[in-house]
Amino acid sequence: MIQFIFGVVAFVCASLLAYSMTPAVRVLAYKMGAVDVPLDDRRVHKKPIPRIGGLAIYLSFVITTALFCDISRDLVTIWVGGGLLVITGVFDDIFRLNAWIKLAIQFFVAGFAAWNGCIIEYVNLGEYVSLGVFSIPLTVLWLVGLTNAINFIDGLDGLACGVSAISAMSLLCVVLLQGDYVSTLICAVLLGSCLGFLPFNSNPARIFMGDTGALFLGFTLAVLSVQGVYKMHAVLSFIVPIAIFALPIFDTVSAVVRRLIRGKSPFSPDRGHIHHKLIDMGFTQKESVRILYAICGILGLVAVFCTDMMGENTRVIKAIAIAVIAVLILIINVNIMKNPSTRRHSGLTEDDMTVDEYMNELDPEKAKKIELHNGGHTSNDDADEPQQSDKDE
């Protein structure tokens, strides 16, 4: 019970710190010239918005973990490695660094993390399979890949921050089920830092977290997944982090493949991301972000459920059944979203039908019955008009 209260206090502290520091970071962004000016059609915002908001997330995380967590190698890895990426992000948000320079720094930071003990040493495929000489290369690729995945998905107000928060919550549940209270506390602090910043980052955003925040969040989530999930003593445990981060991983892989096929650099910007597709389908920013939150949340629940079920064959089958059901629900909703008519009926959009539009969709006989049932009125405007009494005539 004391550990639970301690974790809640750490979560609240991180949230309050991130929330209270964001206005100061916003002022600093204007002073430093770290402002995103929409001069191309790829961006969906229409006015200049300050960047480097991730600085508030990083500072709140560092301060809170320093106060509430015991100093460990994992924490030092996140502080130092994340700090280097935050500095890189600040320079990129101001001066727009070359993508290959940023990638080189990410590989250096990932190498530091591996050197400091953050290594995927084995996978459990029914029996432990040691990765041997491939441990460090695969770990570095995972760390760099996930760092970029969060950065790639940062295209709509609140999207990357919200997805990171959902992923942190999923990781928190997974490591808590494994009894890893150290990683649980760190995940709680990271979750609080994201949620404290999110009110300023949600649509309409007043500040972007920029590469400053995206690189830090991606790296931190990757380190926590290696230390808290990949080392789980459970069959097929490697599936859990893949499920948690499936959305940003899929978006990143598809973006890289798409650009390479077109003969472009994998880091060249385009409008082919999942969130761009939703915008092109007619959804607003808020609607698109909610849809992607839901997908990320479902995948996180599948990961948590799989963690709880691992170890018993019958329960593993149930976990797989849950995953299949989730995929089927997703497919149904995707088909609904493709059709403009059913999309409006689904409640996923903010564009509700008017009375006249609904009546026009009905067959004449049914429309007539509704008119008679409502006293002959077919619109709310007519119904709201005051009725003249006999005394007024």
Side-chain angles (χ1 to χ4, degrees):
M1 185 64 181
I2 294 177
Q3 287 180 324
F4 173 76
I5 296 174
F6 196 71
V8 171
V9 173
F11 166 81
V12 173
C13 179
S15 300
L16 291 176
L17 280 173
Y19 184 82
S20 59
M21 285 192 291
T22 299
V25 171
R26 193 172 188 272
V27 172
L28 179 63
Y30 278 111
K31 296 286 186 181
M32 299 174 66
V35 179
D36 193 333
V37 183
L39 298 177
D40 56 56
D41 59 356
R42 185 178 62 87
R43 289 172 170 80
V44 294
H45 61 284
K46 304 302 180 184
K47 60 182 180 179
I49 298 179
R51 290 191 285 240
I52 72 168
L55 190 59
I57 298 175
Y58 175 73
L59 291 175
S60 65
F61 176 86
V62 171
I63 293 172
T64 306
T65 50
L67 291 173
F68 289 88
C69 301
D70 295 328
I71 307 301
S72 63
R73 295 180 70 181
D74 296 344
L75 204 51
V76 171
T77 297
I78 296 173
W79 284 352
V80 177
L84 289 174
L85 291 175
V86 165
I87 293 171
T88 301
V90 169
F91 276 95
D92 183 64
D93 288 335
I94 299 173
F95 303 109
R96 309 310 298 172
L97 298 177
N98 181 280
W100 295 105
I101 293 177
K102 290 193 295 181
L103 185 64
I105 295 173
Q106 291 168 26
F107 269 102
F108 174 79
V109 171
F112 163 76
W115 172 80
N116 205 36
C118 181
I119 303 175
I120 305 173
E121 298 177 304
Y122 57 81
V123 291
N124 194 332
L125 300 174
E127 60 182 35
Y128 292 105
V129 178
S130 175
L131 297 177
V133 295
F134 297 103
S135 294
I136 292 179
L138 288 176
T139 301
V140 169
L141 287 176
W142 172 256
L143 294 175
V144 173
L146 193 53
T147 298
N148 278 287
I150 299 299
N151 195 25
F152 271 46
I153 205 172
D154 187 18
L156 295 180
D157 295 350
L159 180 55
C161 187
V163 167
S164 296
I166 294 170
S167 299
M169 183 64 190
S170 301
L171 275 176
L172 186 153
C173 294
V174 168
V175 295
L176 183 61
L177 288 171
Q178 297 300 308
D180 184 355
Y181 299 110
V182 174
S183 297
T184 299
L185 185 57
I186 297 175
C187 288
V189 173
L190 185 65
L191 174 61
S193 298
C194 291
L195 294 182
F197 176 74
L198 197 56
F200 292 92
N201 189 230
S202 298
N203 184 264
R206 285 167 282 174
I207 186 171
F208 294 151
M209 66 179 184
D211 280 18
T212 306
L215 295 178
F216 167 69
L217 289 175
F219 175 74
T220 303
L221 289 168
V223 171
L224 290 172
S225 69
V226 171
Q227 298 299 86
V229 182
Y230 270 112
K231 296 184 179 181
M232 284 166 46
H233 298 286
V235 179
L236 303 180
S237 58
F238 65 92
I239 293 177
V240 173
I242 293 176
I244 292 174
F245 305 115
L247 176 61
I249 289 175
F250 173 79
D251 188 56
T252 300
V253 171
S254 61
V256 171
V257 172
R258 179 177 66 249
R259 293 165 186 173
L260 290 176
I261 290 176
R262 295 175 180 175
K264 298 182 178 180
S265 166
F267 301 104
S268 60
D270 60 18
R271 280 188 57 86
H273 291 283
I274 297 175
H275 49 270
H276 288 135
K277 297 294 185 182
L278 290 173
I279 293 292
D280 293 340
M281 288 172 63
F283 290 100
T284 65
Q285 279 204 60
K286 289 182 180 179
E287 294 163 356
S288 301
V289 169
R290 289 170 188 165
I291 291 168
L292 295 176
Y293 279 178
I295 294 173
C296 189
I298 290 172
L299 292 169
L301 286 174
V302 170
V304 173
F305 194 83
C306 286
T307 303
D308 188 40
M309 298 298 103
M310 284 178 178
E312 298 183 25
N313 292 334
T314 57
R315 302 183 83 184
V316 170
I317 293 174
K318 292 180 181 179
I320 295 173
I322 291 294
V324 171
I325 292 171
V327 171
L328 289 176
I329 293 173
L330 177 61
I331 292 173
I332 291 171
N333 280 299
V334 168
N335 287 327
I336 288 174
M337 290 186 292
K338 286 182 178 180
N339 188 312
S341 176
T342 56
R343 185 191 310 164
R344 297 181 72 184
H345 293 164
S346 68
L348 293 172
T349 71
E350 298 176 345
D351 182 22
D352 292 329
M353 298 181 68
T354 65
V355 172
D356 290 337
E357 287 174 335
Y358 176 70
M359 296 296 288
N360 289 334
E361 281 193 357
L362 301 176
D363 61 82
E365 184 177 345
K366 190 170 184 180
K368 189 65 176 177
K369 288 181 179 179
I370 292 177
E371 288 181 23
L372 293 173
H373 179 73
N374 288 279
H377 297 295
T378 59
S379 70
N380 289 332
D381 292 337
D382 293 336
D384 290 338
E385 290 181 0
Q387 299 298 310
Q388 190 176 29
S389 66
D390 295 337
K391 294 181 180 179
D392 294 331
E393 290 180 351

